[in-house]
Amino acid sequence: MLGVHLENGIVEVRDIPRPVRPRGHALIRLLAAGICNTDLELQRGYYGFCGTPGHEFVGDVVEADEFRLLGARVVGEINLACEVCDWCRRAMQRHCPHRTVLGIVKHPGAFQELFTLPERNLHILPDDVSTQSAVFTEPLAAACEILEQIRIPCGSRIAVLGDGKLGLLIVQVLRASGYPVSHYGKHASKLAVSQRAGATTHIGEPPAASFDWIVEATGSSAGLDAAIRMVRPRGTIFLKSTVHDRANLDAASVIVNEISLIGSRCGRFEPALELLRLGAVEVLPLISATFPLAEAARAFEHASQRGTLKVLLEG
Ligand SMILES: [Zn+2]
Ligand SMILES: [Zn+2]
């Protein structure tokens, strides 16, 4: 069967052996998968990755222990927790120190014709959510995580920095919950998606000390600096960009202005699936291109070009 192999920055499609399904795991046939910034960072050498990437997927279950999953169209949570440590017992599986992560840390990813994932990680998709939309479940869940971490008083205006894929999803999630949103980005065509969701959009630098709530999703280490400049004293900044170089942080401003910095990563799938089912977020305009799995190398190349939004691989 076909599978993507990533090693030393080179993406290749190889003929690889069919995976063996461990007990409690489902064997899943890929329908569609999304290439995300994390995949591009793996290609750049982050985590010293070698193997099959891919963690945003929709697939059909072809083998499983649980009868209800057989033949079902599913999405899956990406963290494989040990289920026995203190963190897991406190329902913090996403922070299990022994976890592996689909397509990122020690568990082969979804960019292959068949792959495995624990059955407890899977969510059966409602019929009225299309496969292309459902590819966005994982990043949408990451966007929803903001609202699970802290209660933002209703009516509070929130600034979102960055008009990449995640920024566009975050704006829509916040709008779906009724918050007024100011979206700062660089591309009028991308900001149009936020405008349709009812956000006010701006190109260029935001004014200093202008917001109590800021979500930093620029994907660059400079974004945090901008967020610290534009937050008001006692304000809160959510850090959504996974930046691997050490941030050059204006610590004095954070301390003197008593700013709260909240790191934010993956989220639960349930709220994301509900938003997709209700059609409360628009994800299809975020797809820039679709490639067959066999052309994964071209797909990665396309995804790494500036201004590209989501690139999908189809199984
Ligand atoms: Zn991702
Ligand atoms: Zn654990």
Side-chain angles (χ1 to χ4, degrees), residues 36-38 56 136-146 160-174 183 190 194 215-219 238-242 264-267 286 308-310:
C36 112
N37 282 345
T38 305
E56 302 175 359
F136 289 86
T137 309
E138 197 275 333
L140 193 56
C144 292
E145 173 70 359
I146 291 166
V160 176
L161 310 188
D163 57 7
K165 302 175 279 285
L166 189 56
L168 292 169
L169 293 175
I170 289 167
V171 168
Q172 295 192 65
V173 164
L174 297 175
H183 192 187
K190 295 181 184 178
S194 299
V215 181
E216 194 290 304
T218 61
F238 293 91
L239 309 179
K240 284 307 282 191
S241 300
T242 315
S264 182
R265 185 177 46 114
C266 304
L286 273 57
T308 305
L309 288 170
K310 186 63 78 188

Side-chain angles (χ1 to χ4, degrees), residues 193-306:
V193 176
S194 299
Q195 239 162 29
R196 282 201 296 277
T200 54
T201 60
H202 311 268
I203 290 179
E205 265 287 292
S210 48
F211 291 93
D212 292 314
W213 301 92
I214 297 180
V215 181
E216 194 290 304
T218 61
S220 84
S221 44
L224 176 56
D225 232 24
I228 290 171
R229 276 196 306 276
M230 67 192 289
V231 72
R232 287 188 187 134
R234 295 254 169 104
T236 301
I237 301 172
F238 293 91
L239 309 179
K240 284 307 282 191
S241 300
T242 315
V243 180
H244 301 293
D245 21 309
R246 294 172 72 92
N248 187 6
L249 170 109
D250 178 6
S253 292
V254 174
I255 296 159
V256 171
N257 295 318
E258 301 189 328
I259 295 163
S260 302
L261 300 179
I262 300 183
S264 182
R265 185 177 46 114
C266 304
R268 294 188 305 121
F269 273 28
E270 288 85 350
L273 285 169
E274 186 64 6
L275 288 173
L276 289 173
R277 200 183 57 77
L278 295 170
V281 292
E282 218 189 357
V283 292
L284 297 180
L286 273 57
I287 300 174
S288 290
T290 301
F291 292 83
L293 182 63
E295 290 176 29
R298 268 184 60 215
F300 265 74
E301 207 180 293
H302 189 77
S304 63
Q305 278 160 22
R306 284 187 83 81

Side-chain angles (χ1 to χ4, degrees), residues 81-85 88 96-98:
C82 77
E83 299 295 333
V84 295
C85 74
C88 286
C96 169
H98 313 293

